Amino acid sequence: MRIAILGGTGDIGEGLTVRFASETSHTILVGSRDASKAADRAGTYESRLANHGIERTIEHADNTAATSNADIVVLAVPPHHVGDTIEALVDQEVLTDQLLITPAVGMRGDESGLHFNPPSTGSLAELVARCAPASTAIAGAFHNLAADRLADLNADLDVDTLVVANDEKVRQRVIDLVNELAGIRALSAGPLANAAEVESVTPLVINIARYNDDMHDVGVRFT
Amino acid sequence: MRIAILGGTGDIGEGLTVRFASETSHTILVGSRDASKAADRAGTYESRLANHGIERTIEHADNTAATSNADIVVLAVPPHHVGDTIEALVDQEVLTDQLLITPAVGMRGDESGLHFNPPSTGSLAELVARCAPASTAIAGAFHNLAADRLADLNADLDVDTLVVANDEKVRQRVIDLVNELAGIRALSAGPLANAAEVESVTPLVINIARYNDDMHDVGVRFT
């Protein structure tokens, strides 16, 4: 499979790129609005992987070209760019029959901590589903992974991620994909209507890291 | 300490009563709107504890008397009765300087699953704080414990619960109380403004139990 990580220059994009590159044989494309930035970061990721004894080529392109050349597209852009990014991909007619996975979470902060701040659709996953063509398979996953821990190839993860999609076969396809990564267990959380409760875990784990001295880069396990 | 479990006749109330009775030396009072129902259930819990070799007296009263006789009050009533229950306790002037802990979560269901359905205050914890006297210490805890697993004294829990309260000393007091129970680790999630993300975990774990064949009575651990 060819997996495009849009926003692959950001922190969660870095983690997903190096984990998929080091632990699977899928071709990974780093996407960015700026093709030269994608090229630069792909080189950085190749160097990081080489330092771990892993010789892999990381492909790179702007988000549009990355999407048109991928079987699976991970929308790892900042949450406030999710709507714009999807609209641009739709306008350019590059979203067809890919599997599109969104890890994004809308959050706002105040003095107490971070809070779930969804769009009017209820969740970013449902916003993506509303904007994308009907032919594109939509799923949410990878929301509540601590970026630094994901990107650190020496770190044991031992965490869960929750998968939402309306089609049970799409959910299973994403679960199987995630389970290729050591240390991340995928669980189904059901249809996209259940995405809000999944996305809401991300501000929670950040608040837990803030309020418990001995916890950082907090992940979650369901037992 | 004297711990009143209001709504102690319900499933989460049963679990908290038998766990606190079996694992701590605190006096436990089962509260109910109906004093005779409280008496009946207290007897049942005593029998269940005796079957585990634990001879304990479980006190019982209506919610008002239980509250006025307690140092700690756990508001284990159904979510749609939280507002009414607090208002009645305030009217009867029995809420003074107790520590009041709310485990309640507002939820609604549809064909996809359960969804977080908070009151207009943002969370039930904030609703309780708004209604209670300023002298009462308010905290949220015990939200996302699977009732059957909690009530089964043979079940290993090995789960976390999240504590929210505006006063750091109140949070620590609740954390210390929870940590008297084997198998439940308390973590701070910060002030009551962060309660929505904590309460929202409850529909999520119920959805996970529904959509993953091998999971039931799902709990959560933060790692």
Side-chain angles (χ1 to χ4, degrees), chain A residues 6-219:
Chain A
L6 309 194
T9 58
D11 54 0
I12 190 78
E14 173 171 359
L16 291 172
T17 299
V18 298
R19 291 275 172 181
F20 272 110
S22 65
E23 299 177 19
T24 78
S25 57
H26 300 300
T27 300
I28 312 300
L29 299 87
V30 170
S32 172
R33 283 183 295 179
D34 178 346
S36 66
K37 200 173 162 195
D40 178 60
R41 293 296 284 166
T44 302
Y45 301 161
E46 286 176 351
S47 299
R48 283 200 49 210
L49 289 160
N51 289 340
H52 277 77
I54 302 158
E55 297 297 331
R56 282 290 303 261
T57 300
I58 305 296
E59 297 192 12
H60 50 84
D62 63 33
N63 284 337
T64 306
T67 300
S68 66
N69 280 307
D71 306 297
I72 298 171
V73 178
V74 181
L75 201 58
V77 301
H80 53 284
H81 284 313
V82 167
D84 292 350
T85 303
I86 285 281
E87 282 181 17
L89 297 175
V90 170
D91 287 347
Q92 290 149 345
E93 299 183 350
V94 290
L95 269 179
T96 55
D97 61 352
Q98 294 97 329
L99 168 60
L100 180 60
I101 303 174
T102 166
V105 175
M107 294 189 281
R108 63 178 175 78
D110 64 17
E111 67 281 7
S112 296
L114 288 181
H115 306 291
F116 181 45
N117 187 31
S120 60
T121 49
S123 65
L124 279 172
E126 289 164 293
L127 176 70
V128 169
R130 186 170 297 184
C131 297
S135 57
T136 306
I138 309 296
F142 304 121
H143 303 89
N144 51 291
L145 303 175
D148 288 350
R149 191 166 160 189
L150 189 67
D152 178 359
L153 291 172
N154 292 320
D156 285 334
L157 291 174
D158 197 25
V159 294
D160 290 341
T161 194
L162 298 166
V163 176
V164 283
N166 285 340
D167 183 330
E168 191 178 342
K169 287 179 190 161
V170 173
R171 285 202 297 271
Q172 193 57 52
R173 191 176 162 203
V174 177
I175 289 170
D176 292 343
L177 177 71
V178 174
N179 286 340
E180 293 183 46
L181 301 176
I184 309 182
R185 180 180 65 162
L187 295 173
S188 174
L192 295 175
N194 298 351
E197 287 75 19
V198 173
E199 295 178 6
S200 183
V201 174
T202 301
L204 178 63
V205 293
I206 296 170
N207 291 340
I208 291 170
R210 170 172 166 181
Y211 284 99
N212 297 273
D213 288 339
D214 51 346
M215 301 191 77
H216 52 93
D217 293 337
V218 174

Side-chain angles (χ1 to χ4, degrees), chain B residues 151-196:
Chain B
D152 178 359
L153 291 172
N154 292 319
D156 284 334
L157 292 174
D158 197 25
V159 294
D160 290 340
T161 194
L162 297 165
V163 176
V164 283
N166 285 340
D167 183 330
E168 191 178 342
K169 286 179 191 162
V170 173
R171 285 202 296 271
Q172 193 57 52
R173 190 176 163 203
V174 177
I175 289 170
D176 292 343
L177 176 72
V178 174
N179 287 340
E180 292 182 47
L181 300 177
I184 309 182
R185 180 181 64 162
L187 295 173
S188 173
L192 295 175
N194 298 350

Side-chain angles (χ1 to χ4, degrees), chain B residues 26-57:
Chain B
H26 300 299
T27 300
I28 313 299
L29 299 87
V30 171
S32 172
R33 282 182 296 179
D34 177 346
S36 67
K37 200 172 162 195
D40 178 58
R41 293 296 284 166
T44 303
Y45 301 160
E46 285 176 350
S47 300
R48 282 201 49 210
L49 289 160
N51 289 340
H52 277 78
I54 302 158
E55 297 297 333
R56 283 289 303 259
T57 300

